[in-house]
């Protein structure tokens, strides 16, 4: 355990977040997602819901502000305008940490392809369907 660090951030996940560079992406996916098949690197957080894991990651990781879109979520199959409760929770969590960054919807294959290209996939035990999000890492600016 560390002071000020959410205990959901396991040693493996902390090392991964620290190793990622500007522009690298991390996908946080639900328990039904085919993570082992899609991941270049896989971190498992079985038994934890997606939104608390997202909240923990956003507590330490900056989001890219060099691009217009840096946070992405999956959509309910064939219904891109549908916002399930878990999607609203994702949007609210992201807004708490990054109020100026919109959460962009990605449909089906576009989402899958982006996950496959991600630096790391974090698989949660989230039981709700389509509870998936991708974050693009930003930078920590030097002090003035």
């Amino acid at each position: 355990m560390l002071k000020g660090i959410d205990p959901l951030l396991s040693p493996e996940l902390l090392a991964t977040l620290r190793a990622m560079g500007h522009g690298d992406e991390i996908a946080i996916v639900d328990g039904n997602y085919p993570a082992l098949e899609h991941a270049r690197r896989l971190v498992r957080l079985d038994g934890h819901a997606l939104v608390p894991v997202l909240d923990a990651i956003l507590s330490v990781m900056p989001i890219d502000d060099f691009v217009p879109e840096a946070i992405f979520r999956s959509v309910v199959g064939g219904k891109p305008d549908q916002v399930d409760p878990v999607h609203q929770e994702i949007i609210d969590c992201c807004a708490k940490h990054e109020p100026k960054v919109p959460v962009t919807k990605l449909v089906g294959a576009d989402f899958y392809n982006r996950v496959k290209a991600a630096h790391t996939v974090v698989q949660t035990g989230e039981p709700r369907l389509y509870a998936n999000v991708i974050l693009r890492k930003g930078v920590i600016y030097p002090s003035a």
Side-chain angles (χ1 to χ4, degrees):
M1 302 292 284
L2 298 170
K3 292 180 182 180
I5 301 291
D6 191 307
L8 284 176
L9 298 174
S10 67
E12 182 183 13
L13 181 52
L14 278 172
T16 297
L17 293 170
R18 180 63 179 92
M20 289 172 61
H22 175 237
D24 282 341
E25 294 183 349
I26 187 165
I28 309 160
V29 299
D30 64 42
N32 288 296
Y33 191 91
L36 184 60
E37 192 67 31
H38 287 188
R40 293 168 48 202
R41 293 170 195 84
L42 179 61
V43 174
R44 297 195 62 103
L45 290 179
D46 300 294
H48 297 290
L50 183 123
V51 174
V53 172
L54 173 63
D55 187 53
I57 290 172
L58 287 173
S59 75
V60 297
M61 190 181 99
I63 295 298
D64 196 347
D65 60 359
F66 286 73
V67 295
E69 298 174 334
I71 302 174
F72 307 89
R73 70 166 177 88
S74 61
V75 300
V76 176
K79 301 175 187 173
D81 294 325
Q82 182 172 325
V83 180
D84 281 2
V86 71
H87 298 132
Q88 190 60 55
E89 291 172 31
I90 289 168
I91 292 164
D92 293 345
C93 181
C94 291
K96 178 178 93 172
H97 292 278
E98 297 287 342
K100 296 179 182 176
V101 181
V103 177
T104 303
K105 300 178 283 188
L106 283 180
V107 179
D110 292 335
F111 190 86
Y112 271 22
N113 289 337
R114 197 159 197 132
V115 172
K116 290 176 183 177
H119 180 279
T120 300
V121 175
V122 177
Q123 182 147 44
T124 68
E126 176 63 59
R128 294 178 287 182
L129 303 178
Y130 304 102
N132 308 300
V133 63
I134 300 168
L135 307 172
R136 183 179 169 99
K137 188 175 183 186
V139 300
I140 303 290
Y141 290 95
S143 300

